[in-house]
Amino acid sequence: MKRMAMTLDEFTRSVDAKSLPRVLQMQSGYYFQGSVYELYGREGSFSCGELLKIIGISVPRLIVELQSEGSKSITVDLSLDYPGLFRIVADKRPYTSIQEIVDSVRISPECLGQPEFYCPEKLQLPEGTIQAEESFRLTAIRTEHGDSHVDCEVTRKDSKHIFTVKLSHTGEFYECADDQFYTLGELVEWKMPKGRKRTVTWAKSLPSNEKCVSELPEDYSGELVLTPVYELQTVSKFGKNVVFIPSTLDVEVLDVTEECDGACFMQPLSFRDVFAKPSEFFPFIAEVIEPPSQVQEELGFLKSSKQVIVHSAYQAKRILASEIRSEAQRRFLIPVSYNGRFKRRPRTFPTAYDLEVAKSNMEQLHVVATRAFETHYEGLSSVLVGDQYLVHKMETSEVIYGDKRKTVEALACEKMVGKKYEAVLIPMCLDGGFVEVVHDKKQYMLSDLCHRFSLPFNVKVSMRDLSVMEDLLAGAAGLQLEEEITDPYLIVSTLDLAQCWEVPVNRTNMALQLLERWSGPEPTQGEAVRSAVEEIGEDCYFTLRRYVNASVLPPPRPPKRHQKHSEDTVKLPPPRPKKPDPPSPKSPHAANKAEQAVPTSRTSSCVEQNTLPPRNETSKTSLVTVTDSGPQKATGEENSPRHKTIKQDDDDTKDYEHIDEDELASIRRKLNDQSIHGKRKTINTHAMQTAKQV
């Protein structure tokens, strides 16, 4: 059967990325007639019959169509590093089979590669029945004995039920509502279905130091239709450079992969390709085919070297840190081997629950109140500005509210009154503020801080790292060490081993050509191999935080204001606008039943951040029920009609409103700022002076 030629754009939209590389033969020539300076290093001329090897397909930008009622729609171009977050609008068109879903969307063990669907009718499966409109998550594709199926999960009452569905299974399947925030890079990599349009809504912008070429209108709140602009990464039979070709190039091509020997082409490898190689592949000498366009100063040898040695690949530990300042925060990834010294800085705590989380067995937590709080429960203590406390533990206590007795959980503390200590109970729902009194004046290495104290933790660099020319952390007024993460790295050195560094895989755009194995000496980890502090962008920070499981629950939310109140209710003090009635303190453990927000958040090009599986590990699934301990979804999932099909016991229903961690932190800052200014400004200044004197 004779194969038909197709346009380059048709090939791009029909090819499965998993089948790359592919070899194409030009069926019609093309000659670029514009100025050579308009090519920007891209190929502009092709002759009929020329062979090209397609090694990758990328999306450098998106065409965004703004849907406006009653007016003509407008389009703007957005690059993938646009500093904004978006919400997905669920596709209303049904999929007619599991096979169509697998062909259209990306499925992988990573959290972003597990799309959720529902079926309007019951699904009868060997492992059980999936109820009508009950959502299920697709986690992996497997083939056994020639039969392909997809592994799925359904969550019921905090437990996961794992089952399989054959790709040939037919029916109507709809995409579930998704309440997560995504950058444009994440949408392109994970959430762009093949052959379908992706509609999103703008959620919020992220701070950026770089000015965007094209921005969305500030007052626009409608839907955005995203159309990817594809670019093909190719190599020619006799060339050594990677050539980028737009998919819209007006040429016809023929796929001749089966007839052509692909080994005669150059085999460029990206850092992600290298990281995926087995350990037996290392070490090797590689030629730099495409140097990185942008790299930090310590890794400058990657731009100037013609050849490098790649010694090994592994997941390395980093500490994610943020500069302590109100605006234009800088974000850092700090290696544990950082040689500077730190001193502790006072932490701030907006609620009593934060005090409970922050206390440790290493030392007594000593705080000063910066906001007043009047309790309405007999048995619980009110808080005045300047009060000092030693925090102990959370305990259960019986209190009186109005004419009723209630058992609540409160924070047991010792109130410092002169030279005496008075045992008190502070409400867990306390809407106040505290600042830590730091008695420790020691200098710590980063590894010691992470070992002795729990994160997050506030510090300041007291002695810069003298092993580097410029210490990025030395100029920061203060740092919050937020959490420990792992990230993929390659150990890369020059041929003479004079420079040997850990190089981040997800933030280094570089192409290598394997030359030969390296048989020389290997650098010693920790001595010859060096690690650099990385300053990352807000989008990368957001991405990194997404993949970290929340180990600390947010403070319990007070219930909403009731419409009717009893006449004998204790009169409240003058509240801030829209403040609810005095709540009954909830146990922080009750938040387990509420929806949790994955800490928001995310390098310059952090599109594929943390999507690589751990080395030498394989993911396996079994048809068992397991406890759900993974990260839960962000705001509003309980309000989604697709998720109301899983019924919960009435006793477990909590009247909580959920906001994500960034929004919560922003609200706290605003409320604190409002209370600190004006009449309370001098009072709070006195409280801080008291803390320093102590």
Side-chain angles (χ1 to χ4, degrees), residues 87 184 208 286 357 383 413 440:
R87 273 198 176 103
L184 288 181
S208 175
V357 172
V383 176
C413 302
D440 187 0

Side-chain angles (χ1 to χ4, degrees), residues 199-243:
T199 303
V200 299
T201 57
W202 180 85
K204 59 181 178 180
S205 60
L206 294 173
S208 175
N209 296 329
E210 298 180 3
K211 185 177 180 180
C212 296
V213 176
S214 177
E215 295 184 355
L216 298 175
E218 294 183 0
D219 57 344
Y220 183 75
S221 60
E223 295 183 348
L224 308 169
V225 180
L226 308 182
T227 302
V229 178
Y230 295 99
E231 193 173 60
L232 284 73
Q233 303 170 28
T234 70
V235 292
S236 61
K237 196 167 185 178
F238 304 103
K240 296 187 66 176
N241 296 326
V242 177
V243 178

Side-chain angles (χ1 to χ4, degrees), residues 485-586:
I485 66 169
T486 58
D487 209 31
Y489 285 83
L490 297 177
I491 295 182
V492 184
S493 74
T494 55
L495 293 181
D496 58 1
L497 302 182
Q499 296 278 351
C500 187
W501 291 83
E502 286 183 341
V503 182
V505 172
N506 291 321
R507 295 175 291 281
T508 307
N509 295 321
M510 190 172 178
L512 304 175
Q513 170 70 30
L514 174 63
L515 296 180
E516 59 182 340
R517 287 192 61 84
W518 167 254
S519 57
E522 283 295 300
T524 305
Q525 182 68 31
E527 296 180 4
V529 180
R530 304 170 67 185
S531 306
V533 175
E534 299 177 65
E535 182 175 351
I536 59 177
E538 199 73 14
D539 55 342
C540 179
Y541 172 80
F542 186 84
T543 305
L544 287 167
R545 292 295 303 272
R546 178 189 292 279
Y547 292 96
V548 180
N549 293 344
S551 59
V552 177
L553 299 176
R557 295 283 298 163
K560 300 176 183 177
R561 178 192 292 272
H562 297 288
Q563 294 181 356
K564 296 181 180 180
H565 305 278
S566 60
E567 296 179 358
D568 56 348
T569 301
V570 179
K571 187 177 180 181
L572 296 176
R576 293 189 302 275
K578 299 183 179 180
K579 181 176 180 179
D581 287 343
S584 174
K586 302 290 183 180

Side-chain angles (χ1 to χ4, degrees), residues 377-494:
Y377 299 97
E378 294 184 21
L380 300 184
S381 175
S382 296
V383 176
L384 298 178
V385 174
D387 286 348
Q388 298 186 46
Y389 298 92
L390 298 178
V391 180
H392 288 291
K393 62 179 180 178
M394 184 176 61
E395 61 181 43
T396 302
S397 176
E398 190 176 77
V399 299
I400 300 176
Y401 178 60
D403 296 332
K404 298 181 180 180
R405 288 184 174 271
K406 294 183 178 181
T407 300
V408 300
E409 289 187 334
L411 188 63
C413 302
E414 285 184 291
K415 183 178 179 181
M416 303 173 65
V417 183
K419 295 183 178 181
K420 298 181 180 180
Y421 296 88
E422 176 186 344
V424 297
L425 293 175
I426 296 178
M428 291 301 294
C429 62
L430 175 79
D431 183 18
F434 303 89
V435 61
E436 181 182 19
V437 180
V438 177
H439 302 277
D440 187 0
K441 304 300 181 183
K442 296 179 182 178
Q443 296 188 99
Y444 292 93
M445 295 283 291
L446 181 60
S447 56
D448 294 334
L449 281 174
C450 297
H451 177 71
R452 290 174 56 88
F453 307 102
S454 59
L455 302 181
F457 204 73
N458 292 358
V459 296
K460 174 180 173 57
V461 175
S462 58
M463 186 177 74
R464 63 179 294 269
D465 188 348
L466 300 178
S467 64
V468 296
M469 293 292 295
E470 181 182 0
D471 189 348
L472 296 177
L473 305 181
L479 293 170
Q480 183 178 66
L481 309 179
E482 298 184 9
E483 54 200 341
E484 182 181 287
I485 66 169
T486 58
D487 209 31
Y489 285 83
L490 297 177
I491 295 182
V492 184
S493 74
T494 55

